[in-house]
Amino acid sequence: MHLIHLAADSGYTTPPLWRVLTKAGYFTGLSGAIGATVTYAVSVRPALRAPESHSGDVEVMRRRTAGYLAWAGVALLVAGYFQLAARLARAGKGMPFGDALSPGRIWNFLLAPAGKGAWIAQGTIYLVQSVVLVLAAAALIALFVPRVRRHLNTLALTALPLSLAVTLIAAVPATKPKDADKVLDLVFSQTHIISGVVWVGGLAFLAGLATSRRRLGDSAGLLWADIWRRFALVALVSVGAVLTSGLWLGWKHVGSISQLWTTTYGLFVLVKILLVLGMVTAGAVNQFWLMPRIVKARSEDDTSSLLHLTLRHFPKVVWGEVVLGIAVLAVVPFLSGSARSEAGSPPAVSDASIFTVGALLVLTLAASLYVTVRTSDALARRTPSAAA
């Protein structure tokens, strides 16, 4: 209630429920498709192909992966349709969301001519995006067919670039950007989206796969130790990209620290920041506490401890990250407008000093991530007595 009253006082417009659900659903669909395919390509597939992986465990993981990716395709297809209807409902003078769900109205929207000053019709951009989305979803949904699952690698690796193209195509501007800042806005926005959905979607994908532990053998700990090790790098890169792009977007939309609690937009940004910090903290627990113990158990050939750590302790923390990630997706639709406009602050304009400070912050972030990796490795090399 406090947020609603503050919104009314500050000029913030609370998005309608259909807008909240369609936007959150769209990013959830992207998380399922992009996050799962990227994580499969970088973390799961190499681990399944490793010589020490047991054939029985590999087969269970392949079936589980195929089923997850197939449902991710369904989610992407459904979310894409509702997001397209939401865009139609907001286009021009707008229309009721129920009317925008009509396939005929959507088709007319996609075929509408370009507006004045546009180099391409906005509907044409969404038409191309929709075609790519359908192709990506079809490649994933095909994995429901048992005979098709033998082509898991081909279909997953085909859906990966198509899924990435879904969000990249939608970001293509129908008119020429006014200045370099507008171009950077597009670049950093897409970086933020892609890295975020890879992070959240990858975590959800692995957490879902880990539920198949009862069907796995005693040697599955080796397989999962390799998966978690590989995904740790994916997560670190994603975190770095999320924070780097978030710095730019935060500066563009929030004029001062106080606007984080004096404006409605700022409050939602603050909630998002706290949720992301919670995810980073949970990831740090895995990186500094569990990963060293997994490495040590693997080096000591302790299959019992390895299985317990990789398929019981580790997924519990990951599920916590998934819940926080879902909460982030639920907050995103409320980030409409900017704290600067609510507070009457002037728009952000970049200059050499801004880029210098940004470069220093990025270098500091990169150094901290490097230290994180080195510290985790150092903890893993400690003697058993020191670990105790």
Side-chain angles (χ1 to χ4, degrees), residues 54 56-57 60 212-222 307 311:
H54 190 272
D57 296 335
V60 170
S212 62
R213 59 179 177 266
R214 294 181 181 178
R215 301 183 181 91
L216 299 174
D218 295 337
S219 61
L222 287 171
L307 189 67
L311 284 172

Side-chain angles (χ1 to χ4, degrees), residues 26-341:
Y26 176 66
F27 285 118
T28 300
L30 287 180
S31 297
I34 298 176
T37 52
V38 169
T39 302
Y40 171 76
V42 178
S43 304
V44 177
R45 180 172 177 263
L48 295 179
R49 295 161 65 93
E52 63 268 20
S53 298
H54 190 272
S55 59
D57 296 335
V58 170
E59 184 58 31
V60 170
M61 291 288 290
R62 284 179 61 86
R63 288 199 306 269
R64 189 81 176 183
T65 298
Y68 189 102
L69 290 177
W71 281 111
V74 173
L76 179 64
L77 189 62
V78 174
Y81 183 82
F82 281 104
Q83 175 71 350
L84 188 57
R87 284 169 173 154
L88 171 58
R90 291 161 40 236
K93 297 180 179 180
M95 67 173 63
F97 179 67
D99 295 341
L101 288 171
S102 168
R105 286 190 171 93
I106 291 177
W107 182 246
N108 292 334
F109 170 62
L110 296 177
L111 298 182
K116 184 179 180 180
W119 70 275
I120 187 174
Q122 187 66 67
T124 301
I125 295 175
Y126 292 146
L127 176 60
V128 175
Q129 183 207 27
S130 299
V131 171
V132 174
L133 186 148
V134 169
L135 291 175
L140 296 174
I141 293 173
L143 291 170
F144 276 123
V145 182
R147 292 184 179 181
V148 177
R149 291 182 177 180
R150 69 185 67 176
H151 304 293
L152 171 62
N153 290 335
T154 301
L155 290 172
L157 297 180
T158 299
L160 194 162
L162 290 174
S163 301
L164 288 171
V166 168
T167 181
L168 293 174
I169 292 172
V172 174
T175 57
K176 181 181 178 181
K178 297 179 180 179
D179 48 41
D181 275 13
K182 295 298 182 182
V183 175
L184 290 174
D185 288 346
L186 292 172
V187 171
F188 281 116
S189 293
Q190 286 304 301
T191 301
H192 202 68
I193 291 171
I194 292 174
S195 55
V197 298
V198 167
W199 187 15
V200 176
L203 289 168
F205 174 53
L206 293 182
L209 289 185
T211 59
S212 62
R213 59 179 177 266
R214 294 181 181 178
R215 301 183 181 91
L216 299 174
D218 295 337
S219 61
L222 287 171
L223 172 63
W224 272 95
D226 195 18
I227 291 174
W228 291 126
R229 177 183 64 83
R230 294 176 184 276
F231 183 73
L233 179 59
V234 176
L236 279 176
V237 173
S238 297
V239 169
V242 165
L243 297 180
T244 300
S245 55
L247 287 172
W248 172 268
L249 297 175
W251 171 72
K252 291 290 287 187
H253 295 289
V254 181
S256 63
I257 296 296
S258 63
Q259 289 179 9
L260 290 175
W261 56 83
T262 58
T263 65
T264 305
Y265 182 95
L267 282 173
F268 283 117
V269 170
L270 181 59
V271 171
K272 182 184 175 184
I273 290 173
L274 294 176
L275 292 172
V276 170
L277 289 178
M279 294 180 67
V280 172
T281 302
V285 170
N286 281 340
Q287 190 70 26
F288 292 127
W289 187 64
L290 286 175
M291 282 303 297
R293 283 157 178 77
I294 289 174
V295 172
K296 193 169 295 295
R298 186 173 185 176
S299 64
E300 295 174 353
D301 200 22
D302 187 352
T303 56
S304 177
S305 296
L306 192 60
L307 189 67
H308 192 73
L309 286 168
T310 57
L311 284 172
R312 290 191 181 275
H313 280 302
F314 211 100
K316 287 180 180 178
V317 181
V318 170
W319 274 116
E321 292 182 77
V322 171
V323 171
L324 292 173
I326 293 174
V328 170
L329 297 181
V331 171
V332 169
F334 293 95
L335 297 176
S336 175
S338 75
R340 287 178 178 271
S341 61

